[in-house]
Amino acid sequence: MSTAHAHPATEPRLSARARRRLRGRLAWILGGAVLTALTLSIAVSVGAVGIPLTSVWGIIAHKLTHGSAFAADSVFGASWSKGQAAIVWDIRFPRALLAMMVGAGLAMVGASLQAVTRNPLADPHLLGISAGGAFGAILALLHTGLFLGLLTVPLLAFVGALAATALVLAVSRFAEATTADRLVLVGVAVSFVVMAGANVLIFLGDPRATHTVVFWMLGGLGLAQWSHLAYPLVVLVLCGGWLWSRSGDLNAMTVGDETATTLGIPVARFRLMTFCVGALITGVMVAFSGMIGFVGLIVPHVARLIVGGDHRRVLPVSALFGGLFLVAADIAARTLMAPEDMPIGLVTGLVGGVFFIWLLRRR
């Protein structure tokens, strides 16, 4: 009889706990969606030419419905010129979406690398991926020319990033450096070597084109076009989904290699797989945005302060905060020196440097 009464007594408590968990998740999703929509709206609205939010929403609604579902200008009570529509739809909106994707990708990679290396200062640039992307972009801008049109720079940057990743893996295998600390050291060493090669390309290139190279190396979202957004989106969804599916393994890796091994995780192979997936995400993001630092360092720590250390929550929250942070940085880059377009890497570097010092003080 006691067992017969135990099940009905415990079932309501379990269901109530599940309902609270579900409400919490729905609150996060709704709050994130509202905050994302508001941030994107502000990013599209502000700039050298200010556009009212109602006009921004009307233009986007008009474009998404091809002007046939409803009269967007009457619904939002706004009218706009062809120039404003071109600024919103062709320039600022794809740029803001690219910033969201780049920030989300770099933040997820940073959170994953900090887990598998157990290094709170790890970020995507430690692997030499950004240096490889810079090498490929400089090669395209100064030496090969745009033989594939506007896709030449991101394509060669991506190839360079993958080549740098392959070099890191080859050196780590040659040096038998499969532990977390030694993999980071290999990445730093390869980064220095690849950047030295990139500087040689700059030295041998046309001095008149170095301005473009420097701007790209400092980070920028000027390549944002609707036709280009599919590449980072697909990589972010597939690779980010894989990282999130391995959240349990990432949690185990933060405790230590021995604990992860006892749980049945092939530590060395999983760490290399995480490095490769992180390299793919970073390579694609760097190819379309240039070298943007500190996003992968700052955002995961902020996410952990809010939601704890479980990577089932850390990864999606890092993606959300990373995207919002980079959109906000892009707003600052476009407005602080308007009408000049400041490289976004200057903003993230300033904020990230201050945060880095604070982190060193704490750790």
Side-chain angles (χ1 to χ4, degrees):
M1 294 295 292
S2 59
T3 57
H5 290 287
H7 179 69
T10 56
E11 187 174 358
R13 286 199 295 266
L14 292 176
S15 61
R17 188 181 309 149
R19 286 196 298 269
R20 287 195 300 269
R21 189 182 299 115
L22 179 60
R23 284 197 297 267
R25 290 176 181 174
L26 291 177
W28 267 104
I29 294 173
L30 180 61
V34 172
L35 190 58
T36 300
L38 181 60
T39 305
L40 288 175
S41 300
I42 295 174
V44 177
S45 175
V46 302
V49 178
I51 300 175
L53 286 176
T54 51
S55 296
V56 170
W57 297 329
I59 292 170
I60 294 175
H62 183 81
K63 291 291 185 178
L64 291 177
T65 60
H66 303 287
S68 59
F70 55 85
D73 52 349
S74 62
V75 171
F76 290 95
S79 60
W80 53 83
S81 64
K82 291 184 178 179
Q84 289 177 323
I87 291 173
V88 169
W89 188 254
D90 297 329
I91 300 176
R92 292 183 183 173
F93 194 36
R95 178 174 178 142
L97 292 177
L98 179 61
M100 283 291 301
M101 288 185 282
V102 171
L106 295 179
M108 293 187 74
V109 173
S112 303
L113 294 181
Q114 289 166 12
V116 297
T117 63
R118 299 188 305 280
N119 185 345
L121 303 181
D123 79 334
H125 295 282
L126 283 180
L127 302 181
I129 307 168
S130 297
F135 186 94
I138 292 169
L139 185 66
L141 293 171
L142 295 183
H143 296 279
T144 65
L146 303 181
F147 59 92
L148 293 176
L150 294 177
L151 277 177
T152 306
V153 174
L155 179 61
L156 289 189
F158 177 61
V159 172
L162 290 186
T165 304
L167 183 59
V168 169
L169 297 178
V171 173
S172 64
R173 185 168 300 176
F174 172 77
E176 299 181 353
T178 57
T179 62
D181 293 338
R182 298 194 70 185
L183 271 174
V184 172
L185 291 176
V186 170
V188 172
V190 170
S191 179
F192 277 111
V193 172
V194 175
M195 281 307 301
N199 290 331
V200 171
L201 292 180
I202 294 176
F203 179 76
L204 297 177
D206 187 354
R208 294 171 294 182
T210 55
H211 173 74
T212 304
V213 172
V214 170
F215 190 89
W216 188 90
M217 293 180 67
L218 293 177
L221 301 170
L223 288 177
Q225 297 182 18
W226 286 110
S227 58
H228 293 172
L229 294 184
Y231 305 106
L233 178 61
V234 170
V235 170
L236 178 61
V237 171
L238 295 180
C239 295
W242 184 86
L243 290 174
W244 186 76
S245 69
R246 306 302 295 269
S247 297
D249 296 344
L250 292 174
N251 291 338
M253 293 289 287
T254 59
V255 181
D257 288 2
E258 294 183 0
T259 302
T261 302
T262 59
L263 294 175
I265 301 173
V267 172
R269 187 176 68 182
F270 177 67
R271 183 177 289 121
L272 288 177
M273 289 176 63
T274 304
F275 269 52
C276 292
V277 172
L280 182 59
I281 296 176
T282 306
V284 172
M285 301 308 169
V286 167
F288 287 95
S289 66
M291 298 177 65
I292 299 177
F294 286 108
V295 177
L297 171 65
I298 301 172
V299 176
H301 290 287
V302 177
R304 292 189 188 97
L305 288 174
I306 296 175
V307 299
D310 188 350
H311 284 81
R312 288 174 295 181
R313 295 189 297 268
V314 170
L315 289 176
V317 173
S318 294
L320 173 64
F321 288 175
L324 296 177
F325 171 70
L326 202 58
V327 172
D330 185 51
I331 294 174
R334 289 189 289 110
T335 56
L336 288 178
M337 298 181 63
E340 294 293 330
D341 193 359
M342 181 191 302
I344 193 173
L346 297 181
V347 179
T348 60
L350 177 61
V351 177
V354 174
F355 185 84
F356 192 86
I357 296 172
W358 176 80
L359 198 62
L360 288 175
R361 173 68 178 173
R362 289 197 57 180
R363 302 299 178 92

